[in-house]
Every structure is written in structure tokens, then in C-alpha cells.
């Protein structure tokens, strides 16, 4: 069932995911997460993965316990030293709640890596569909999920109570034959329009034809194909622990910055 005022139609999203036949974004996210894990000087013995596509991660981290990305996660408290939330946060109706649940599942000093599609994802398609629909019908309806910017996603880590939060992003420019090919690929990835406020009538062909012309005019590459942007944002945070470094208390410095830099200190005017 969908909650009142929900952003995402969970029933429609699950239906799309069951029909998904390609997972190249999930595979790229898994590779990126493993690259980040390789830079952490620690062995993890109790990993968990939150993902809608368990088959992807069975090959990447077979020892992990895999959980679906439902609104109430099945993660047990203080059970894992690593939790990976894989490319599902952008569809969550309560992303902060998802991160809080992940933090509670971590042992002290446990690591979270969450991957999400960011705000630059499909900017080209969003722009062209909006212009086309306004031209054809004189109005607009939600077509592409409003994904959060990296700064906003990074702030979620702090709101969820993580220590040492870090957010970084990777942009992918993927080329397609045309808009129809792009939209078919989104459907095949289970990333079609699952917004609760979406227009339930089929998208008019005239709108797509106008969007296709706009897309071709504005975003054609040198080899005659169109380019689509996918931004992956990676959030890294640690469950709080006394062993972690902490900022010094204000006023506790033992040396003046000017002395350390061998510079002349100039007082500011009142």
C-alpha cells in the first residue's frame, strides 16, 4: 500500500522492478562501492546490502546478507559492521528514515556506503519532456523523479546521526540512438516513472515526437547520437564510536595560527 502524500508509488515501482531486464547502472554502482571499500583499511565480517536487485550483488559480495529496500528494513540492530544501500535511496519516500535504520543496524564504528542517483540525472530528458508537454498540452505533469543534489544528500547523513560524513559523485554520459531508445532502456532498468503524482494516461506520441526533436537539436553528440546524464552520489558515514577522531573544543588551541604560519597578525576593525 502507498502512504498518503507519498512521493513514490511503491506498488508501481515494484511492478517495474519485477520486469527489469538490464542492470548496468546497478553494476556500475557495485563496482564503485567496491573501489571505495578497497581504500578502507579494514576487513568486514558481517556485511549487509539493501538493494532491489539481489542478483547483482550476489556476484560482487557473496558473503553479504541481502535485504529488500522496503520502507521498514529487515535489518537487526547492532548486527553489521558494513551496510551498503545500493541505488535505491532516490525512490525512498523517507530517505532519512532509511539512513537512520542503516545506522541502527551498524555496530559501533561500522561503515555505511549508500549509492543514489543525484540531481543531475536525466536533466536533458526532464528539460525536453517539460518543453514538449507545455507546447503540446499547455501544462506539465511529473515525468522524472526530482532527485536530490549532492549537498542535500550529504546533509542527510548528519541528520541520520552518522560520524565523519562524506559525499562524492560520479557522472556518466550514456549515448542512445534516440529518445525512444532512452525511455525503453529506463523501463528495462526498472527506472521508469513511478511517481505517485504521475499522469496515469499513456504519454502522447506527439509529446515524445516534440521532445525527440528538442533532444536531437540540443544534445546530439559528434557521432550523431544523443547523450543522457546519470549522476551517482555516494554517501559514506560511520556509526559513532569513542575511538573516532573528534574536533577540538573551540578555544582549546595551544598555539596561535599566525605563529604557526610565521605571519603577522592584523586585527580586524571593530
Amino acid at each position: 500500500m502507498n502512504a498518503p502524500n507519498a512521493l513514490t508509488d511503491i506498488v508501481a515501482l515494484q511492478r517495474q522492478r519485477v520486469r527489469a531486464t538490464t542492470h548496468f547502472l546497478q553494476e556500475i554502482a557495485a563496482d564503485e562501492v567496491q573501489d571505495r571499500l578497497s581504500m578502507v583499511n579494514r576487513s568486514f565480517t558481517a556485511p549487509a546490502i539493501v538493494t532491489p536487485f539481489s542478483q547483482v550483488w550476489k556476484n560482487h559480495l557473496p558473503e553479504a546478507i541481502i535485504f529488500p529496500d522496503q520502507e521498514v528494513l529487515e535489518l537487526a540492530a547492532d548486527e553489521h559492521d558494513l551496510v551498503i544501500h545500493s541505488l535505491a535511496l532516490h525512490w525512498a519516500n523517507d530517505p532519512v528514515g532509511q539512513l537512520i535504520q542503516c545506522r541502527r543496524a551498524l555496530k559501533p564504528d561500522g561503515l555505511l556506503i549508500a549509492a543514489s542517483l543525484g540531481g543531475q540525472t536525466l536533466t536533458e530528458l526532464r528539460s525536453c519532456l517539460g518543453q514538449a508537454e507545455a507546447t503540446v498540452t499547455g501544462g506539465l505533469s511529473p515525468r522524472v523523479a526530482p532527485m536530490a543534489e549532492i549537498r542535500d544528500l550529504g546533509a542527510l547523513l548528519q541528520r541520520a546521526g552518522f560520524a565523519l560524513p562524506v559525499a562524492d559523485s560520479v557522472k556518466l554520459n550514456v549515448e542512445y540512438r534516440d529518445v525512444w531508445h532512452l525511455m525503453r532502456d529506463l523501463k528495462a532498468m526498472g527506472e521508469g516513472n513511478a511517481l505517485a503524482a504521475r499522469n496515469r494516461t499513456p504519454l502522447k506520441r506527439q509529446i515524445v515526437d516534440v521532445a525527440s526533436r528538442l533532444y536531437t537539436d540540443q544534445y546530439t553528440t559528434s557521432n550523431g547520437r544523443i547523450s543522457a546524464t546519470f549522476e551517482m552520489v555516494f554517501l559514506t558515514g560511520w556509526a559513532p564510536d569513542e575511538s573516532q577522531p573528534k574536533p577540538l573544543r573551540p578555544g582549546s588551541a595551544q598555539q596561535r595560527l599566525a605563529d604557526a604560519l610565521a605571519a603577522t597578525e592584523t586585527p580586524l576593525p571593530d
Side-chain angles (χ1 to χ4, degrees):
M1 296 291 292
N2 293 309
N5 302 317
L7 174 68
T8 300
D9 182 342
I10 298 299
V11 175
L13 179 64
Q14 290 174 342
R15 187 164 55 243
Q16 289 185 27
R17 286 172 169 175
V18 168
R19 298 170 180 169
T21 57
T22 183
H23 306 100
F24 86 93
L25 286 180
Q26 294 282 341
E27 292 283 357
I28 292 172
D31 288 338
E32 289 285 341
V33 168
Q34 289 194 309
D35 284 346
R36 286 158 176 76
L37 287 175
S38 69
M39 294 184 284
V40 178
N41 187 23
R42 180 178 301 188
S43 297
F44 297 99
T45 58
I49 300 172
V50 177
T51 176
F53 299 110
S54 60
Q55 63 272 34
V56 173
W57 277 97
K58 286 178 180 177
N59 296 326
H60 287 270
L61 209 64
E63 69 273 21
I65 302 174
I66 297 179
F67 299 92
D69 67 315
Q70 54 200 25
E71 300 207 356
V72 178
L73 302 176
E74 298 173 2
L75 296 166
D78 300 312
E79 187 73 23
H80 304 281
D81 55 4
L82 170 66
V83 173
I84 297 168
H85 200 295
S86 179
L87 220 58
L89 203 61
H90 57 283
W91 283 119
N93 283 316
D94 182 13
V96 177
Q98 291 280 300
L99 295 177
I100 290 174
Q101 292 179 75
C102 291
R103 178 179 57 77
R104 290 174 177 169
L106 286 168
K107 301 175 182 179
D109 205 31
L111 175 63
L112 166 79
I113 301 180
S116 175
L117 291 180
Q120 301 304 306
T121 298
L122 298 176
T123 55
E124 306 92 347
L125 181 63
R126 186 184 293 113
S127 172
C128 292
L129 279 177
Q131 292 178 61
E133 189 168 17
T135 300
V136 174
T137 69
L140 288 174
S141 59
R143 299 290 181 188
V144 181
M147 301 165 201
E149 299 294 335
I150 184 171
R151 180 180 300 178
D152 299 323
L153 288 169
L156 297 184
L157 285 172
Q158 293 180 310
R159 289 178 60 189
F162 282 95
L164 310 174
V166 175
D168 69 285
S169 68
V170 174
K171 281 189 181 180
L172 307 171
N173 292 313
V174 184
E175 294 186 359
Y176 289 93
R177 185 169 58 248
D178 51 37
V179 166
W180 294 98
H181 188 201
L182 167 58
M183 292 194 296
R184 282 196 297 270
D185 205 30
L186 292 173
K187 183 177 180 181
M189 291 187 288
E191 295 288 345
N193 187 356
L195 292 170
R198 71 191 186 280
N199 190 332
R200 306 304 171 97
T201 59
L203 183 61
K204 293 181 179 180
R205 183 182 181 91
Q206 185 181 2
I207 294 175
V208 182
D209 287 342
V210 174
S212 180
R213 289 196 295 272
L214 290 169
Y215 212 128
T216 299
D217 291 342
Q218 299 176 38
Y219 303 109
T220 297
T221 64
S222 58
N223 59 3
R225 297 167 70 85
I226 62 170
S227 177
T229 300
F230 293 93
E231 181 189 26
M232 290 188 186
V233 177
F234 295 89
L235 308 177
T236 304
W238 297 83
D241 185 69
E242 286 301 319
S243 65
Q244 293 166 348
K246 296 177 178 60
L248 294 175
R249 180 173 52 84
S252 62
Q254 301 298 312
Q255 185 178 11
R256 295 165 62 247
L257 179 61
D259 294 339
L261 298 176
T264 302
E265 184 176 10
T266 303
L268 293 174
D270 295 334

